Amino acid sequence: MFQIPDKNTNMFVDIRTSLFAMYLFLTGDSSALSNWPYADNPSIAILIVLFSLLIVIYLMNLLIGLLSNAIEEDNNRVSYLMQKAEVLAEIELFYLLPHQRRWRTWFPEVIHYYADADKTQIEIKRLIKEGEWDTKEFTEMRKKLLEVLQIKHNPIDNEVILEKLKSNEEKLKSNEERLKSNDEKLNKLEKLEKLDKLEKLGESYCEKLAKLEELEKSSCEKLDKLERLEKLLEEIVQAK
């Protein structure tokens, strides 16, 4: 009638069994928490609900969404072909014997590729428009492709070059405007410097005038003193 207590009665006594109990709870097995009545321990029920919402629902769906976005970004033919080329190169370098690398059936000298003419024409026009067509590699092959696909292309009259020239002209105009504004600023600075010099000259002139006035005052005082002395001398002479 009664359960005999053992090590699995309370799995949260040991850290190892507690982690295993959480793993079982993720799989849907809640037997590790069945020894506690939920009515007497409402906190356990709240923790179970929060655990199921945050871990089982939120984090699992978030992980699935991230994986699906990563798969959508890499799920294209270009990435598939690049991965395939890397695998083939690794096999050829590290897993083939020297006599196998010399087999003509596996490694022919010339490989022919099929390409749709319309798609090739669209791609070449895109490369010409973006300025990536005029390179120093495979010049003869590029000329033959233009002749076969009947694409008129003159590197001198390239639209990209014209656009670059237009952008350079706009930059030159903006630089000229900046130079004009800088010249105006320099003229203003020169005028301000001249005004500062004039103000300094005016201040020095005022200081000199003030000194002259002081000298005049001192000379007038000296003349007054001399006149008084002369009067005193005359009085002295008359008294004798």
Side-chain angles (χ1 to χ4, degrees):
M1 297 297 291
F2 296 98
Q3 183 181 2
I4 298 172
D6 56 1
K7 292 182 178 180
N8 293 329
T9 302
N10 186 3
M11 297 180 70
F12 295 96
V13 175
D14 191 2
I15 185 66
R16 295 172 292 179
T17 55
S18 63
L19 292 174
F20 184 66
M22 287 295 100
Y23 174 75
L24 293 175
F25 193 74
L26 281 173
T27 59
D29 185 6
S30 61
S31 60
L33 301 173
S34 61
N35 295 317
W36 288 275
Y38 298 128
D40 297 334
N41 299 292
S43 60
I44 294 176
I46 293 168
L47 289 173
I48 290 170
V49 174
L50 290 175
F51 183 83
S52 62
L53 289 173
L54 294 175
I55 305 299
V56 179
I57 297 173
Y58 179 74
L59 290 180
M60 290 295 179
N61 289 327
L62 180 63
L63 181 62
I64 291 167
L66 293 173
L67 288 174
S68 63
N69 290 330
I71 290 168
E72 286 178 359
E73 288 178 357
D74 295 332
N75 189 14
N76 51 16
R77 185 167 177 79
V78 176
S79 60
Y80 163 71
L81 292 174
M82 290 174 67
Q83 187 68 27
K84 186 177 179 181
E86 290 177 0
V87 172
L88 290 172
E90 186 176 355
I91 291 169
E92 292 171 1
L93 288 172
F94 302 107
Y95 297 99
L96 292 181
L97 297 173
H99 71 278
Q100 291 176 337
R101 295 192 188 98
R102 290 192 290 269
W103 288 350
R104 297 295 182 185
T105 55
W106 286 14
F107 303 100
E109 293 181 357
V110 180
I111 299 175
H112 297 279
Y113 294 94
Y114 170 77
D116 193 0
D118 296 332
K119 293 181 180 178
T120 307
Q121 192 174 8
I122 292 167
E123 183 66 19
I124 290 171
K125 287 181 179 179
R126 184 186 67 80
L127 292 172
I128 290 169
K129 187 176 181 181
E130 293 180 359
E132 298 177 359
W133 179 255
D134 296 325
T135 59
K136 295 181 180 179
E137 297 177 354
F138 308 108
T139 55
E140 294 181 358
M141 185 179 70
R142 287 190 287 107
K143 289 179 181 179
K144 289 179 180 179
L145 276 174
L146 293 174
E147 291 175 358
V148 170
L149 296 173
Q150 296 179 357
I151 298 172
K152 294 180 180 179
H153 172 62
N154 189 1
I156 299 172
D157 297 332
N158 196 357
E159 293 180 357
V160 178
I161 296 171
L162 293 173
E163 290 179 357
K164 288 182 179 179
L165 289 172
K166 288 180 181 178
S167 64
N168 290 326
E169 287 178 356
E170 290 177 356
K171 288 179 181 179
L172 286 171
K173 287 180 181 178
S174 62
N175 290 325
E176 287 177 356
E177 291 177 356
R178 287 178 183 175
L179 288 171
K180 287 180 181 178
S181 62
N182 290 326
D183 291 333
E184 290 177 356
K185 289 178 181 179
L186 287 171
N187 292 325
K188 288 179 181 179
L189 287 172
E190 288 177 356
K191 289 179 181 178
L192 290 171
E193 288 177 355
K194 288 179 181 179
L195 289 172
D196 291 333
K197 289 179 180 179
L198 290 172
E199 287 178 356
K200 288 178 181 179
L201 289 171
E203 289 176 357
S204 63
Y205 182 71
C206 292
E207 290 176 356
K208 288 178 180 179
L209 286 174
K211 288 179 180 179
L212 288 171
E213 288 178 354
E214 289 177 358
L215 289 171
E216 286 179 356
K217 288 180 181 178
S218 62
S219 62
C220 290
E221 289 176 356
K222 288 178 181 179
L223 287 171
D224 293 332
K225 287 179 181 179
L226 288 171
E227 287 178 355
R228 288 175 185 174
L229 288 171
E230 287 178 354
K231 287 179 180 179
L232 288 171
L233 289 171
E234 286 177 358
E235 289 177 355
I236 292 166
V237 170
Q238 288 177 1
K240 289 179 179 181

